[in-house]
Amino acid sequence: MSRVRKLDPVESFIAGTIGNPGEREFYLQAKFRGGIHSFAIEKGQVSALADRIAMLIGELKGADYRFENVIATNLEVPLIPEFQIGVIGIVWLPDRELVLLDLQEISEISTDLIGDDESEGPALFKIYMSPDIANNFVTQARKLVSAGRLPCPFCGLPVNKDGHLCPRANGYRR
């Protein structure tokens, strides 16, 4: 298989989880030509990706781009991730009016996005999506991230069902 795969354009792009709060595994999933491509991702990456895409969407809204509603879907199973996401790149393609996400496999070799012309290196998926799909992703991803454990009012760390050792309380359980 080639190191670089292009999904141009995807029919849907979503974030989802499996498991209970505190033990959830996060995934991104793209539908392309009847196939499903899933990627394992960290919660913080989902949140950062949603924030960055939201900034791009905000600029489009400022330029009077007309958004259409997209029907949100759920993760499809069986869930077999292509890889664990390491580096993410986001680009707006004005000539095609598409958002391009580069999802690169986590690698010990490099923490930078490796170009398409490189034949060696970690796997890379180039995911092209409409601004409508990107806007839907932001809404759905933010709901997903906020549906986890509540933060401690003192330190901001997540609180488990049985409490947590709060650093602001000098290690005492809250």
Side-chain angles (χ1 to χ4, degrees):
M1 178 174 95
S2 172
R3 184 183 88 72
V4 179
R5 303 254 331 254
K6 292 184 181 184
L7 309 180
D8 185 9
V10 295
E11 298 146 27
S12 75
F13 184 75
I14 60 168
T17 62
I18 293 180
N20 295 320
E23 301 170 354
R24 296 186 297 171
E25 295 176 6
F26 286 76
Y27 295 92
L28 297 181
Q29 196 170 71
K31 288 185 185 177
F32 177 68
R33 295 187 180 162
I36 304 292
H37 299 276
S38 302
F39 307 91
I41 189 168
E42 296 295 325
K43 179 181 180 178
Q45 288 176 300
V46 173
S47 180
L49 180 58
D51 289 346
R52 294 296 181 185
I53 292 176
M55 290 171 57
L56 187 143
I57 297 298
E59 290 179 24
L60 291 176
K61 287 179 178 176
D64 292 331
Y65 184 89
R66 302 278 180 211
F67 287 90
E68 296 179 15
N69 288 333
V70 174
I71 298 172
T73 59
N74 294 321
L75 285 178
E76 292 199 20
V77 291
L79 219 148
I80 303 167
E82 305 278 345
F83 52 76
Q84 175 77 36
I85 295 174
V87 182
I88 302 172
I90 305 168
V91 178
W92 170 247
L93 303 172
D95 54 327
R96 295 186 57 198
E97 292 191 356
L98 291 175
V99 176
L100 168 60
L101 284 184
D102 288 336
L103 304 179
Q104 182 174 287
E105 180 178 24
I106 197 166
S107 169
E108 295 176 6
I109 301 168
S110 175
T111 57
D112 295 329
L113 198 59
I114 298 174
D116 300 2
D117 52 347
E118 301 284 331
S119 60
E120 297 291 319
L124 173 68
F125 270 74
K126 300 181 92 44
I127 299 176
Y128 297 79
M129 70 183 83
S130 71
D132 301 320
I133 290 174
N135 191 35
N136 180 63
F137 169 80
V138 169
T139 303
Q140 189 244 355
R142 285 184 167 166
K143 285 180 188 174
L144 185 72
V145 168
S146 67
R149 298 173 287 170
L150 294 175
C152 171
F154 301 104
C155 69
L157 294 174
V159 178
N160 295 323
K161 292 177 187 174
D162 60 344
H164 82 117
L165 296 176
C166 182
R168 299 265 328 259
N170 202 22
Y172 288 99
R173 187 169 291 281
R174 290 198 183 258

